[in-house]
Amino acid sequence: MAPKVKGKATASQQPPPPIEDLFTNLNRHIERSEFEQAVKVADQVLSVAPNDEDAIRCKVVALIKCDSIDKALSTIHSAQRQNLPFDFSYFKAYCLYRQNKLDEALESLKGLERTSETMLLESQILFRLGKMDACVDVYQKLQKSKIDTLEINLVAGLILAGKSSQVQGMMEANRIKASSSFELAYNTACSLIERNKYTDAEQLLLTARRVGQEALMDDNLAEDDIEIELAPIAVQLAYVQQLLGRSPEAMEAYTEIINRNLADESSFAVAVNNLIALKGSKDVSDSLRKLDRLKEQDAQAFQLARGLDKLSPKQKEAIYANRVLLLLHTNKMDQARELVAALPDMFADSVLPVLLQAAVFVRENKAAKAEEILGQFAEKFPDKSRVILLARAQVAAAAGHPQIAADSLSKIHDIQHMPATVATLVALKERAGDADGASTVLDSAIKWWSNAMTEDDKLNVIMQEAASFKVRHGKEEDAAHLYEELVRSRGSIEALAGLVNTVARVDVDKAEAYEKKLKPLPGLKGIDVDSLEKTSGAKHVEGASAAVTGAHEEGKKEKPKKKRKRKPRYPKGFDPANPGPPPDPERWLPKRERSSYRPKRKDKRAAQVRGSQGAVVREKHEAGATSTSSNTSNSKSSQATTSKVAAEHSKPSSKSSRKKSRN
C-alpha cells in the first residue's frame, strides 16, 4: 500500500498569533512611529476581535498619522454602522477638520465633554472659519491648561479678531517673552504691523528668523527644509519693506521667494499676491500667469488650490479680488463676470463681492446699474453700508449724477460734520442746482462743531467757508452774521475783512465802521486815494517783468542790453578776402529745370531707310514685335532696346544692297 502524501499547511490554516502578542507588536510600532505597520497589526487584531475598541482606536489614530484621512473616516463610519458602543465623535471631528469640512466638524463636537482637547480642536475650527471672537474666547478659557504653543495661537487669534492692541498686555500679564520661540516672535511682529509700528516689526522679524535658524539647525534639518519653515518670516519681512516704502527691496524679495519655490503653499501664495499688488497695472499678463500657479489644476474656472486652505478668509479674498481687477485691466469681461458671480457664496459676510460686481458694471459703462446694486446692498445691510455708500457716491459723481452722490454721502451720519465731507456735499449740491440744500449742510456742520467738545476744532474753517458760500449766493445778511460771530469769538482778521466786504454791499456806513478796526497797511500813508480814484486805472502789460517798481517811478530805467555780434563761420579753406566767383544760384535745382540745360539730340541715322523697301518693312515689324513682348512697366528701357534692334537689323540690309550694286 502506497504511503499517503502529507499536504503543505497554508497561511489560512495557520492559527493566528495570540492577541496579547498582537497588541505588543502594535504598541511597539506606535512607539517607533511606524504607523503603516501599526495599521496592519491593528487589522490582524480586528480579524480576531472585530469589535475591539482599542484596536479600532489605534487604527484610526495610525491612519491619521499617515495622513490617510479618508481611510480613517471610513473606519469610523464602519464602526458607527455596526452600532458599536464607542464614541468616535472627537476623531470624526478632527478628520472633518482636516478635510476642511468645518461646519460638519463643529457639529460633530457638540455634545462632547468640554475637555482641553475638545476645546483646542474647537478653537482651531473657529479660527479656520474666521470666527475670531469665539476663537479667542476659547483660547482664553484654555490659558489655565498647560498646553504647548497655546500663546502662539492666542496671539494669532487676537490679531485676526482686530484686537492687536491687547497682545502686549496679554504677554506681559502671562510673563511671556516674544523671543521665546520664532513662531511667537513672528505673530507678535504681525500685531505690531497692525498697530503701524513697522520699524519695530521689522526688528522683531529679524529676531524671529535668527531664533528659528538656530532652533531648526539644532533639530538637524536640511538647509532647504529650514528655508521652507522660515518662508512666512521672509514673506512678512518683504511686506514690511513694502509698507516702509522700500518697494525695490520688497519686489526683489518676493521675486526670489517665487523663483526659488522653497516655501510652503500659503507663503508662496501670499508672495505672489503681494508682488502683483506691488506691480499694479504693469505687465498684467505676467501677473495673471503667476496667479494661475495658485489655481486648482482640475478646475475650469479660477479656484484656489486645495493646499491653500490654511489661508485666512481675508487672504483668499484679496487673491480673488486681484484676479478680478487684472481681468478688468485686460478686458476679459466674461471671465471677470463669471468669477464675480461666484464670490458672494465664498465670502457671504464681506462687502468686497458687491464692490467688485459694481466695478464690472462701471467697466461696461453701466454706472446706473452699479449705483442700483450698491444702493440695494446698503439698504439690506445697513451695518456694512459705509464703504458701499462711499463707493456709490464715487461712481455717481464720476458718472455725472451729483444728486445721487450727495444722497449717498448724506446717509453716512458719522462723517457728516467732517470738513472734507462738508466740502464734497456742498460742491455736489451746487452742481445739482440745490443751493438751499448746500446751505443746509453748512448750517448743520456749524451747529455740530458749536456743540462739540473736541480738541480738533474745525468751527473756524467751516464758518469761514459758509460765509463765503452765502456771499456767492446773495445771502449777505447771513454771511455778515457769520463774519460777525467769527470776529467776536475768534478775532479773525480774515473774517473782519470779509465782514467789511460783505456789509459794504448793503450798508456802507456800517462797513466804514468795521473798516476802522482793520490795521493800516504799511507804506500806504503817502497815497492820495481821491486822486487815485480819478485816474483811468493801471494799464495792463503782459509779462511779469513789466510790473511797476519804485525804481521805475523815480524814472530810472535800465538800459537795453546790446546784442553781441558774432563773426560769421566760413567753410574750411575759404578765404573771405578772395572769395572767387559767386556760386551758381541754380545749383540746387534739378538739371532739367536749369536755364543752361539743353536736351540731348536724337540719333537720326537709326531712322534712315536703306536697301529694298520690303526688307525694311519686315525688319520694322520684327523690331515692333520685340518691343511689344518686353515689359511695358519700364518704358525707357523698352524704347532703347527697340532702337538698338532696329539699328542692328538695318546694318545687314545695307551691306547686302552694296553687294548687289557691285554685281
Side-chain angles (χ1 to χ4, degrees), residues 187-372:
N187 286 349
T188 308
C190 293
S191 71
L192 293 174
I193 293 173
E194 291 294 321
R195 295 163 59 191
N196 300 328
K197 296 184 177 181
Y198 304 133
T199 305
D200 296 340
E202 184 180 20
Q203 296 301 319
L204 192 54
L205 285 171
L206 293 173
T207 302
R209 185 171 64 182
R210 177 180 55 79
V211 173
Q213 288 175 344
E214 295 174 356
L216 296 174
M217 288 177 66
D218 292 341
D219 294 340
N220 297 323
L221 263 70
E223 291 185 4
D224 290 348
D225 294 335
I226 293 175
E227 188 171 352
I228 293 172
E229 288 290 331
L230 300 180
I233 300 176
V235 174
Q236 202 72 338
L237 268 172
Y239 179 61
V240 171
Q241 292 170 352
Q242 180 180 347
L243 293 175
L244 288 171
R246 288 146 46 190
S247 298
E249 297 180 35
M251 191 173 294
E252 183 180 356
Y254 289 138
T255 305
E256 184 179 0
I257 293 168
I258 294 170
N259 292 339
R260 288 178 62 83
N261 201 15
L262 288 176
D264 59 290
E265 294 178 338
S266 300
S267 300
F268 181 85
V270 173
V272 169
N273 181 77
N274 290 359
L275 179 61
I276 290 171
L278 191 59
K279 290 168 63 177
S281 58
K282 297 178 182 178
D283 201 358
V284 178
S285 300
D286 180 68
S287 298
L288 282 173
R289 285 193 296 270
K290 282 183 170 60
L291 275 183
D292 287 337
R293 298 174 65 176
L294 311 180
K295 176 185 174 183
E296 182 69 29
Q297 297 297 328
D298 300 334
Q300 295 181 352
F302 182 81
Q303 181 180 350
L304 289 178
R306 296 175 184 175
L308 300 176
D309 292 335
K310 293 182 179 179
L311 290 174
S312 67
K314 287 185 178 180
Q315 291 172 328
K316 294 179 182 178
E317 190 178 51
I319 294 174
Y320 279 108
N322 284 338
R323 176 77 177 186
V324 173
L325 295 177
L326 291 174
L327 292 174
L328 293 180
H329 275 295
T330 53
N331 288 325
K332 296 181 179 180
M333 303 306 299
D334 294 336
Q335 297 183 32
R337 279 191 293 268
E338 182 181 359
L339 185 56
V340 165
L343 292 182
D345 295 333
M346 298 182 190
F347 310 103
D349 297 332
S350 175
V351 300
L352 193 58
V354 69
L355 291 175
L356 293 173
Q357 189 176 0
V360 172
F361 282 126
V362 171
R363 187 69 173 178
E364 294 175 336
N365 295 325
K366 298 178 181 179
K369 187 66 176 176
E371 295 167 12
E372 180 183 353

Side-chain angles (χ1 to χ4, degrees), residues 46 50-52 56 75-86:
L46 292 173
N51 299 330
D52 190 281
I56 297 174
T75 303
I76 294 171
H77 289 157
S78 177
Q80 289 177 342
R81 284 194 297 269
Q82 296 177 13
N83 295 322
L84 299 177
F86 316 134

Side-chain angles (χ1 to χ4, degrees), residues 466-478:
S468 177
F469 172 84
K470 292 180 184 295
V471 169
R472 290 199 311 269
H473 290 274
K475 299 181 179 181
E476 286 82 2
E477 294 182 0
D478 295 340

Side-chain angles (χ1 to χ4, degrees), residues 94-103 105 128-129 306 308-310 316:
Y94 182 79
C95 291
L96 292 171
Y97 163 75
R98 291 286 300 273
Q99 290 181 338
N100 207 36
K101 298 177 180 179
L102 304 177
D103 293 324
R128 191 75 65 84
L129 283 170
R306 296 175 184 175
L308 300 176
D309 292 335
K310 293 182 179 179
K316 294 179 182 178

Side-chain angles (χ1 to χ4, degrees), residues 531-553:
S531 61
L532 185 63
E533 289 180 347
K534 294 178 182 179
T535 61
S536 59
K539 295 182 180 179
H540 174 70
V541 181
E542 294 183 356
S545 61
V548 178
T549 62
H552 287 91
E553 292 177 357

